[in-house]
Amino acid sequence: ANQGARFAVLSDEEMAQLAVKKAEAARRLAEVNQEEEKRRAQERKIADLLRRNPAVPEPGPGFHSSGPGPFIPGAPVSFAPHPSSSLMQPPDAKRQKREDQLESEQDWMKKHPGKLGVKVYVPEDSDNAKFNFNGQTIELSGLEMTATIGLIKEKLEQQLWGLPPNKQKLSTPK
């Protein structure tokens, strides 16, 4: 019934050689799997960056690849505007007129005398509790109209228990 089955008897030396070959194959497989995971992670990172930054141009009319050769998945690709693209043209005259019509800082301050008040909404973040991130609102009042962001961040540093100005991120509410 078992006419097709054959068994081989291997010496200890042959068994050791097979074990070495098996270990080498397992190591190579692990390396291939690791490289594949790196490639997938890079693709996920690129896809995430493209999702978060729609300003990155997609390949299409008006763009050409800045690098020679075929597209390689996972390799960084950059695009530059084609010389005839509208991106290479100066802004239209309408926009230039608009910028010329802006009033000077001094004229604007004459029309809006007084002091400036700023409200800063601090997030609640237990990971940054050492900087007093408790979801509170910090009000800064009596600021001169010429106050800089740097001055505002210095004043916030006192309220945020020493959070350095260069680590602070200010933005407008959404």
Side-chain angles (χ1 to χ4, degrees):
N2 281 338
Q3 293 174 348
R6 293 188 182 190
F7 297 95
V9 177
L10 301 176
S11 69
D12 288 343
E13 184 179 323
E14 290 171 319
M15 291 293 287
Q17 288 173 349
L18 283 176
V20 168
K21 286 181 182 180
K22 182 178 177 182
E24 178 64 22
R27 186 190 61 75
R28 282 195 308 255
L29 180 61
E31 286 175 359
V32 168
N33 288 339
Q34 188 177 20
E35 289 299 318
E36 180 66 17
E37 183 54 38
K38 283 181 185 177
R39 185 189 63 75
R40 285 187 192 138
Q42 187 175 16
E43 285 178 355
R44 285 190 301 269
K45 185 176 178 181
I46 290 169
D48 186 50
L49 285 171
L50 289 173
R51 253 191 320 277
R52 287 189 285 137
N53 188 2
V56 174
E58 292 291 326
F63 288 91
H64 65 278
S65 173
S66 62
F71 174 75
I72 300 170
V77 177
S78 61
F79 297 95
H82 190 275
S84 65
S85 168
S86 64
L87 295 174
M88 296 297 287
Q89 307 302 322
D92 61 346
K94 265 174 130 176
R95 185 173 183 135
Q96 289 173 348
K97 253 192 225 174
R98 174 73 181 136
E99 290 172 4
D100 292 343
Q101 292 174 349
L102 293 175
E103 62 186 312
S104 71
E105 181 180 347
Q106 293 80 16
D107 291 342
W108 190 88
M109 287 175 49
K110 285 179 189 173
K111 291 180 183 176
H112 302 89
K115 302 287 183 176
L116 177 66
V118 176
K119 286 185 179 181
V120 178
Y121 301 98
V122 179
E124 186 171 350
D125 184 359
S126 60
D127 292 340
N128 285 302
K130 66 181 179 184
F131 293 120
N132 195 22
F133 277 33
N134 299 318
Q136 74 274 27
T137 300
I138 298 174
E139 292 189 44
L140 303 175
S141 58
L143 298 170
E144 294 294 327
M145 292 300 255
T146 55
T148 63
I149 296 297
L151 176 70
I152 292 171
K153 285 184 172 186
E154 285 176 15
K155 291 192 177 290
L156 287 172
E157 182 178 14
Q158 298 163 4
Q159 300 279 333
L160 296 175
W161 298 348
L163 180 64
N166 64 337
K167 299 293 183 188
Q168 298 174 23
K169 180 181 176 187
L170 302 178
S171 61
T172 58
K174 297 183 179 176

